[in-house]
């Protein structure tokens, strides 16, 4: 699906990608969130990506808090020209569930972030996604989702033509063996499983960057050392966020180093050699007795010819942290 060079045909769908000689235009739908903040930084700091806008969705914290966080991260990166559109405040059917134990009361605990100076952009996140995709050439826009899939599902239902128009949808969520919020489910899918089901049942090409991949993206001492050497306001803020994330992941999930999930989606778009994938059908469990929110991935044998989904399997850890470090340095 993803390619970092020139025009290509997607493996899963036969759909023609727009030229990749220029930076890839993306919309990042997110819920910052420590690792969402890292995804914003990587998208802004790598020349292969053109971040057209940030859309927000209630997830790690309330949509008001995480929308403010997105704007603060853009200020920190001196990129408040990127619009932030606020989206859904709650899942389609379920009650709001936030991840304060991982991201704190603010959603970005661990550092004092600068106040945003640019207001929230007018227009709902879902309208921004639809309008941007419909105004662009077919195959031009890539959607990246690193929060619950509420906005993406609503966009697909309100304007079904976007399904045939995007280049690709890259989702941080789910896992084929790993789970984190319940024994069977990853947080983003668990929060809004009905939205996830809508999204995965549409025919657009989806790359699922799930926990099996992101649990390899550990912020090790060595990875952090390279960032510390940058010695800028941004690198210090990043390390402050990682320090909080480290404690939270140790206390809650017994990780020695925290997994930095969300920027793996951007790394995949920048260089697919850093995030290896495998084509496979994915189904979303919405009413299991113990398994609601599970992503059921069929890894038996060859994938069917017409499969439209692939799952990320293997991360080049050093390559991933090289990209993160370069992005922070570029924005510093
Ligand atoms: C996902 O859940 C959130 O807490 C993180 O930001 C990430 O998107 C990991 O399960
Ligand atoms: Ca997230």
């Amino acid at each position: 699906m993803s390619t970092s060079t020139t025009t290509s045909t997607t493996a899963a769908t036969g759909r023609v990608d727009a030229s990749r000689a220029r930076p890839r235009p993306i919309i990042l739908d997110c819920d910052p969130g420590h690792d969402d903040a890292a995804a914003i930084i990587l998208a802004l700091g790598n020349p292969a990506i053109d971040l057209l806008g940030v859309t927000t969705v209630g997830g790690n914290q309330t949509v008001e808090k995480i929308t403010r966080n997105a704007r603060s991260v853009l200020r920190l990166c001196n990129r408040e020209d990127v619009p932030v559109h606020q989206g859904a405040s709650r899942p389609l059917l379920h009650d709001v569930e936030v991840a304060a134990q991982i991201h704190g009361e603010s959603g970005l605990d661990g550092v004092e972030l600068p106040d945003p100076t640019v207001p929230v952009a007018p227009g709902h996140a879902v309208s921004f996604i639809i309008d941007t995709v419909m105004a662009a050439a077919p195959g031009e826009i890539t959607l990246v989702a690193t929060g619950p899939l509420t906005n993406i599902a609503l966009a697909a239902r309100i304007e079904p033509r976007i399904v045939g128009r995007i280049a690709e949808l890259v989702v941080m969520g789910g896992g084929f063996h790993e789970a984190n919020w319940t024994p069977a489910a990853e947080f983003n899918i668990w929060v809004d499983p009905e939205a996830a089901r809508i999204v995965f049942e549409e025919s657009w090409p989806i790359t699922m960057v799930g926990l099996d991949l992101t649990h390899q993206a550990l912020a090790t001492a060595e990875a952090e050392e390279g960032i510390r050497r940058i010695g800028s306001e941004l690198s210090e803020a990043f390390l402050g966020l990682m320090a909080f994330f480290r404690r939270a992941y140790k206390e809650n999930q017994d990780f020695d180093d925290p997994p930095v999930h969300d920027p793996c989606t951007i790394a995949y778009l920048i260089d697919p050699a850093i995030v290896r994938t495998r084509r496979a059908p994915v189904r979303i469990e919405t009413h299991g007795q113990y398994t609601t929110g599970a992503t059921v991935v069929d890894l038996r044998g060859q994938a069917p010819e017409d499969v439209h989904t692939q799952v990320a399997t293997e991360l080049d850890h050093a390559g991933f942290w090289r990209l993160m470090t370069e992005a922070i340095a570029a924005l510093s």
Side-chain angles (χ1 to χ4, degrees), residues 30 32 40 54 56 65-75 84 108:
C30 60
I40 294 173
V54 172
T56 61
K65 289 183 183 178
I66 61 91
T67 301
R68 187 184 184 283
N69 292 345
R71 293 159 59 222
S72 289
V73 171
L74 290 172
R75 165 117 197 251
V84 177
L108 266 185

Side-chain angles (χ1 to χ4, degrees), residues 130 134 154-163:
I130 291 171
M134 294 310 291
L154 289 168
R157 282 292 187 261
I158 291 169
E159 179 45 277
R161 287 178 298 172
I162 68 167
V163 171

Side-chain angles (χ1 to χ4, degrees), residues 29-37 39 57 59-60 103 145-148 172 186-188 261-262:
D29 189 69
C30 60
D31 59 340
H34 296 66
D35 51 332
D36 302 84
V57 57
N60 286 325
H103 299 276
T146 63
M172 190 284 129
E186 179 279 332
F187 177 76
N188 289 338
H261 311 276
D262 293 341

Side-chain angles (χ1 to χ4, degrees), residues 291-308:
T291 55
T292 297
T295 46
V296 181
V297 181
D298 190 351
L299 294 169
R300 299 168 301 167
Q302 294 277 348
E305 270 303 304
D306 62 350
V307 72
H308 71 104

